[in-house]
Amino acid sequence: MDGTLMMRRSVTLHEGLKEFSVFARDSSGKKHMVSVRVEHVRYHEDHDMNTLMNTSSVQMESPYDDLVLTFPKSLTGLKRLKRGWIVPPISISENSRGPFPKRLVQIMSEFASETRMAYKVTGEGADLDPKGIFQIDRLSGWISVTQKLDREQKASYKLVAHATGVDVNIANKPMEIYIIVTDQNDNKPVFTQNPFKGHVPEAAGKGEVFMTVTATDADDKENTDNADISYAIISQDPPSPKPNMFAINPVSGGISMLETGLDREQWSSYTLVITATDMNGEGGSTTGTAIITVTDSNNNAPNKPDNKPVFTQNPFNGSVPETAGKGEVFMTVTATYADDKENTDNVDISYAIISQDPPSPKPNMFAINPLSGGISVLETGLDREQWSRYTLVITATDRYREGLSTTGTAVIAVADSNDNAPLFASNWVIPPISVLENSKGPFPVRLVQINTNYAAETQMEYKITGEGADMDPKGIFQIDKLSGWISVTQPLDREKKGSYHLVAHAKGLDGDIKEKPMWIAVTVIDQNDNKPVFTQSLINGNVPEAAGKGEVFMTVTATDADDKENSNNADISYSIISQDPPSPKPNMFAINPVSGGISVLETGLDREQWSRYTLVVMAADMNGEGLSTTATAVITVTDPAV
């Protein structure tokens, strides 16, 4: 802070020296430059030192001895200079043991030689949270830290120093001081998860990386090596076939094969205990677990009796239209391998049909693709009215090992092609249905009665399918199969689902008449049952202390889950409930009731007196049903640009 240059780490001076320049500005803004040379100097026989020096003298002063930051003089009275000093940051090590309070730096006004001055500091760690960390002696100007700091909680603080005359009406322009908390290696690595899970093929070769473990360290990564991590394997369970089957990259955490000889049938999984250790050697470490599953490579002896394919389900269910043509694939059966059902994908399985029941109208109505398992129509002539269902016995066989096969069943339903109903209605139209959400019943509530032109001639039977009927969410709608009344069985919630699509079906009880299926659209009508919700509960903004009336400097927003397109239930109105502090006037700010933009209503902001305001803002439902929510807007008053 007093201009002393120090070496932060070891360097190699390849040419015997290193030169660079240092720049500074004085209180008038004038720029100064000095050339600095780093060279190797031998002070006495057994003591070498790398020294920073300018071209004229060696700088050997302690960085904190008699460190004084001096305010530049103002011109007259309370007028302030248009240009202030650029003060370099002050560094303090975290976890300092004190004793506290501990002096950091002394500030002094150039007026101090003429009159008594009073000093104070504001900002983070002083009068702003976290409060009370820094204090200043009012008359001497010494700034002290009152407690040990933690870089991982807060790495820097911005203070503002103020100096005013005790007996005369003079003041210096406030001076910004930055406190940087330097890192100590006080955190141990932490694994990003525990356990880690990975897979390795049993045929993996030496050096093959198959998974990676990672850990993090909260210490400073940018300016120190305190967060560098080294990984190691502590133990392997089981220790077979060798105790060190795996290796870990100490820097990346990649786990690889150190030895070959994995055998999934003998050792299907391994557990490694791994450590992540601080690389700077101070002993900070943590332990985790890596669980490794060995995956199958299908390298088992061909005569092993239990290594046979297994169907993924049994029976398989499918359907085929009765008018399906030759070669039309309508369902697929699949099998996997008993060695490793989940992970093996390299076993060749062959599929075949063994039998068909009934064997009508021909004994081979279907074919199966031996590689994919796709079942298709081999012969036409399906008739649902005569043979509505077929059962096929199918096999899955290992193509390269004799005797390794399994048997399963495919049940095929023949779907009706509507080739027996001679009549269709061309004018069966069902209007859309609207249902108010949150209806209180009693349930079921009738919605609409459907009817057909044939109802006067014969008794019709009705049913509905689709969303809310036989599809999820099931059971919301039902129909009386003889009267055709469609009813809703429970309250609906538009915010969960705003519409449903049903399909109405009608046929004569004697089977001679069948209506063409018709779509029914059910729309859920919105009720104003949701209150506005702010997109965030704490909104931060900044306003220049010289901002003029009407200047919008921040915006708050809220949303309403109600219907925005077809109603005004989602319209929101914004207002300010309170302002803290209520100074210099209780209504310094205004809010646009529609957009939520917050603007300056009254001038007179003064950052030195009132550096922060807290507004309680409300978002209310505009239709007047009393649905509202509140949030907090924290406004920081900033210095005008200089």
Side-chain angles (χ1 to χ4, degrees):
M1 303 307 299
D2 62 352
T4 300
L5 299 176
M6 296 171 288
M7 300 294 296
R8 292 195 60 180
R9 61 187 67 191
S10 299
V11 297
T12 301
L13 303 175
H14 297 287
E15 298 178 3
L17 58 87
K18 183 74 174 179
E19 291 187 343
F20 56 94
S21 298
V22 175
F23 297 87
R25 292 185 185 273
D26 61 20
S27 60
S28 67
K30 184 176 180 181
K31 189 175 182 180
H32 303 268
M33 185 271 288
V34 63
S35 296
V36 178
R37 182 173 68 249
V38 183
E39 64 180 14
H40 188 72
V41 178
R42 183 175 295 277
Y43 275 82
H44 37 78
E45 187 168 332
D46 297 319
H47 181 67
D48 291 343
M49 179 180 292
N50 286 324
T51 303
L52 294 170
M53 56 195 310
N54 63 23
T55 54
S56 59
S57 62
V58 178
Q59 306 297 310
M60 300 295 289
E61 295 178 352
S62 167
Y64 293 105
D65 289 343
D66 300 324
L67 176 56
V68 178
L69 299 180
T70 304
F71 283 96
K73 280 187 178 180
S74 299
L75 296 179
T76 58
L78 287 173
K79 293 182 179 178
R80 295 174 178 171
L81 292 178
K82 292 185 178 180
R83 186 183 298 274
W85 276 12
I86 299 174
V87 181
I90 297 172
S91 297
I92 178 172
S93 178
E94 68 172 337
N95 303 323
S96 174
R97 295 182 179 179
F100 297 104
K102 183 177 182 180
R103 287 182 171 183
L104 297 180
V105 64
Q106 185 182 22
I107 63 174
M108 183 175 293
S109 170
E110 290 187 0
F111 292 120
S113 61
E114 305 167 11
T115 185
R116 287 197 307 161
M117 300 295 291
Y119 304 96
K120 73 173 182 177
V121 289
T122 59
E124 300 169 332
D127 61 339
L128 297 179
D129 290 334
K131 298 178 181 178
I133 293 178
F134 302 100
Q135 65 182 25
I136 189 170
D137 186 280
R138 178 174 176 271
L139 296 179
S140 71
W142 269 105
I143 298 177
S144 304
V145 61
T146 64
Q147 57 189 266
K148 69 178 181 179
L149 305 180
D150 186 344
R151 190 199 69 84
E152 286 70 48
Q153 290 187 8
K154 189 168 177 60
S156 65
Y157 298 83
K158 178 183 175 182
L159 299 176
V160 180
H162 309 263
T164 57
V166 174
D167 304 311
V168 294
N169 189 26
I170 59 173
N172 287 101
K173 177 185 176 183
M175 177 170 57
E176 291 184 344
I177 302 173
Y178 288 89
I179 309 292
I180 305 299
V181 185
T182 58
D183 187 50
Q184 284 191 333
N185 192 12
D186 57 346
N187 289 280
K188 67 180 182 180
V190 176
F191 279 108
T192 56
Q193 66 184 77
N194 196 28
F196 292 86
K197 295 184 179 181
H199 298 83
V200 59
E202 61 182 337
K206 281 188 178 182
E208 183 173 333
V209 179
F210 57 88
M211 69 180 293
T212 300
V213 299
T214 54
T216 59
D217 191 313
D219 287 317
D220 189 356
K221 302 173 180 61
E222 296 181 0
N223 303 305
T224 72
D225 59 359
N226 292 340
D228 293 346
I229 297 171
S230 176
Y231 301 93
I233 296 175
I234 303 301
S235 65
Q236 168 194 307
D237 181 40
S240 304
K242 297 179 182 180
N244 297 298
M245 293 296 293
F246 308 97
I248 191 168
N249 186 306
V251 177
S252 69
I255 299 178
S256 60
M257 293 302 306
L258 184 62
E259 300 284 348
T260 58
L262 292 173
D263 189 334
R264 195 195 70 83
E265 280 66 39
Q266 295 191 61
W267 308 287
S268 61
S269 67
Y270 289 86
T271 300
L272 305 183
V273 177
I274 51 179
T275 60
T277 305
D278 204 307
M279 287 183 69
N280 71 1
E282 296 191 15
S285 66
T286 191
T287 302
T289 303
I291 299 175
I292 303 168
T293 301
V294 182
T295 58
D296 188 49
S297 295
N298 196 27
N299 56 358
N300 297 300
N303 60 351
K304 197 168 183 178
D306 60 342
N307 295 336
K308 63 182 181 180
V310 174
F311 281 108
T312 56
Q313 67 184 76
N314 196 26
F316 291 87
N317 294 290
S319 63
V320 58
E322 61 181 337
T323 57
K326 279 189 178 183
E328 184 173 332
V329 179
F330 57 89
M331 68 180 293
T332 299
V333 298
T334 55
T336 186
Y337 203 64
D339 282 350
D340 192 353
K341 299 177 184 178
E342 294 182 359
N343 303 307
T344 301
D345 58 2
N346 59 346
V347 177
D348 285 308
I349 296 174
S350 178
Y351 301 93
I353 296 175
I354 303 301
S355 65
Q356 168 194 308
D357 181 44
S360 305
K362 297 179 181 179
N364 297 298
M365 294 295 293
F366 307 98
I368 191 168
N369 186 307
L371 297 180
S372 68
I375 299 178
S376 59
V377 175
L378 183 61
E379 299 285 349
T380 58
L382 294 171
D383 190 337
R384 192 191 68 84
E385 282 66 44
Q386 294 192 62
W387 308 288
S388 61
R389 179 169 297 185
Y390 290 85
T391 300
L392 305 183
V393 177
I394 51 179
T395 60
T397 304
D398 190 302
R399 296 178 65 193
Y400 301 108
R401 296 183 289 178
E402 294 181 2
L404 298 180
S405 66
T406 191
T407 302
T409 303
V411 178
I412 303 169
V414 180
D416 186 29
S417 296
N418 200 20
D419 56 351
N420 294 304
L423 299 175
F424 289 88
S426 60
N427 58 350
W428 190 31
V429 178
I430 303 173
I433 302 172
S434 296
V435 183
L436 186 66
E437 69 170 334
N438 303 323
S439 173
K440 296 182 179 180
F443 295 100
V445 175
R446 286 182 172 184
L447 300 178
V448 67
Q449 183 181 25
I450 62 175
N451 210 334
T452 77
N453 293 336
Y454 302 110
E457 304 172 12
T458 184
Q459 176 63 56
M460 303 295 291
E461 183 178 45
Y462 304 94
K463 73 173 182 178
I464 53 173
T465 59
E467 300 171 332
D470 61 341
M471 294 173 58
D472 288 334
K474 297 179 181 179
I476 292 178
F477 302 99
Q478 66 183 23
I479 189 170
D480 186 284
K481 69 177 183 177
L482 296 181
S483 69
W485 269 105
I486 297 176
S487 304
V488 61
T489 65
Q490 57 190 266
L492 303 182
D493 187 343
R494 191 201 66 85
E495 285 70 48
K496 289 185 177 179
K497 189 169 177 62
S499 63
Y500 298 83
H501 292 91
L502 302 174
V503 181
H505 308 264
K507 66 177 182 178
L509 286 180
D510 57 9
D512 291 334
I513 299 174
K514 182 180 291 184
E515 288 281 10
K516 181 180 180 180
M518 296 296 293
W519 284 95
I520 305 175
V522 181
T523 301
V524 185
I525 301 175
D526 186 50
Q527 280 194 329
N528 192 12
D529 56 345
N530 291 278
K531 67 180 181 180
V533 177
F534 278 99
T535 54
Q536 55 189 100
S537 59
L538 179 64
I539 309 105
N540 292 293
N542 298 288
V543 59
E545 64 179 337
K549 280 189 178 184
E551 182 174 334
V552 178
F553 57 89
M554 68 182 292
T555 300
V556 298
T557 55
T559 60
D560 191 313
D562 286 319
D563 189 358
K564 301 172 181 61
E565 297 181 0
N566 303 304
S567 72
N568 61 358
N569 292 340
D571 293 346
I572 297 172
S573 175
Y574 299 94
S575 60
I576 297 175
I577 304 301
S578 65
Q579 168 193 307
D580 182 37
S583 304
K585 297 180 182 179
N587 297 298
M588 293 297 293
F589 306 98
I591 190 168
N592 187 304
V594 178
S595 69
I598 298 178
S599 60
V600 174
L601 183 61
E602 298 286 350
T603 58
L605 294 172
D606 189 332
R607 196 187 66 82
E608 281 65 39
Q609 295 192 61
W610 308 287
S611 61
R612 181 171 294 180
Y613 289 88
T614 299
L615 304 183
V616 176
V617 292
M618 182 173 69
D621 200 305
M622 286 184 69
N623 71 1
E625 295 193 17
L627 299 173
S628 64
T629 189
T630 59
T632 301
V634 178
I635 303 169
T636 300
V637 182
T638 60
D639 251 345
V642 295

